[in-house]
Amino acid sequence: MIIRRVKLHNFGIYADTVSFDLEPVNDSQYTRPIILFRGQNGVGKSTIVEAIRLCLHGKLALGPRVTQRDYETYLERRQHRYADGETAVRTSVEMEFDHVVLGRRHHYRIMRLWGKQSSRIVTELLIWVDDEPSIETEDEKEFLLRELIPPGVAELFFFDGEKIATLSETGNASNSLLADTVRNLLGLHLVEQLDRDLDIY
């Protein structure tokens, strides 16, 4: 998977529309397959990673057991607030990437939009595959994204420097974080959750 572009509109600290070109650039001597963001604390590095995960997985980006109400509260809090205290009417996160499926490369464009209407958050998910708009239902689109990039894989590949620092430290906390990441990647946390649910039932 090669991420080409991420565009944020009134998301978090980013007002209006901000676009990031993330396509790796190679020269005659080196291949550069990694994109790094560097900056002072509070300038929006983690917000970009958060936006990518949200764009790919929606509610699942917050965890497997998040309620719809909690998700809507989160979306409302991520809408940009201007200096005068006004909240943005519409917010969106968008990304473009190339992904190989069954040996064939496809170009995907994903956009999640939301805004407040009549005291509730209304969301929309749009997907284009090779510049053709998807006409599938919302649930089918969510399933497509989970199949393309499982949430466990996203946990392993999209994270900020603070998580890298934690993983590099010796001690129980870093070991636990690494173990949780691998467990989620392999889906083993589902077995543990099923075991807990069976105890309850």
Side-chain angles (χ1 to χ4, degrees), residues 71-90:
Y71 179 53
E72 290 178 5
T73 300
Y74 163 81
L75 291 179
E76 186 175 358
R77 288 179 179 160
R78 298 314 287 143
Q79 290 185 279
H80 180 75
R81 283 174 177 73
Y82 295 99
D84 61 4
E86 287 293 313
T87 301
V89 177
R90 294 286 281 173

Side-chain angles (χ1 to χ4, degrees), residues 68-189:
Q68 184 63 28
R69 184 173 181 178
D70 289 341
Y71 179 53
E72 290 178 5
T73 300
Y74 163 81
L75 291 179
E76 186 175 358
R77 288 179 179 160
R78 298 314 287 143
Q79 290 185 279
H80 180 75
R81 283 174 177 73
Y82 295 99
D84 61 4
E86 287 293 313
T87 301
V89 177
R90 294 286 281 173
T91 302
S92 66
V93 292
E94 179 182 348
M95 63 184 294
E96 293 182 37
F97 60 89
D98 292 342
H99 195 286
V100 176
V101 180
L102 299 175
R104 185 177 171 197
R105 178 177 292 209
H106 296 278
H107 181 76
Y108 293 86
R109 181 176 160 220
I110 306 165
M111 179 186 286
R112 286 189 191 269
L113 311 96
W114 66 92
K116 198 164 188 178
Q117 293 181 9
S118 303
S119 76
R120 62 182 296 263
I121 295 291
V122 177
T123 64
E124 186 176 8
L125 172 61
L126 304 172
I127 298 178
W128 292 262
V129 182
D130 297 326
D131 296 323
E132 292 292 326
S134 171
I135 58 173
E136 297 174 311
T137 66
E138 198 91 351
D139 287 342
E140 289 170 335
K141 291 176 186 175
E142 295 285 5
F143 181 78
L144 169 67
L145 293 176
R146 286 197 302 273
E147 287 289 300
L148 282 176
I149 304 102
V153 172
E155 283 281 338
L156 198 58
F157 288 101
F158 303 122
F159 50 83
D160 58 27
E162 292 166 0
K163 187 171 179 180
I164 294 174
T166 304
L167 286 172
S168 67
E169 293 170 356
T170 57
N172 292 333
S174 61
N175 292 341
S176 175
L177 177 59
L178 183 58
D180 287 344
T181 302
V182 173
R183 229 185 343 260
N184 291 340
L185 175 63
L186 299 177
L188 299 179
H189 65 293

Side-chain angles (χ1 to χ4, degrees), residues 7-10 14-19:
K7 183 158 55 169
L8 311 179
H9 180 70
N10 292 326
Y14 293 100
D16 301 319
T17 301
V18 181
S19 184

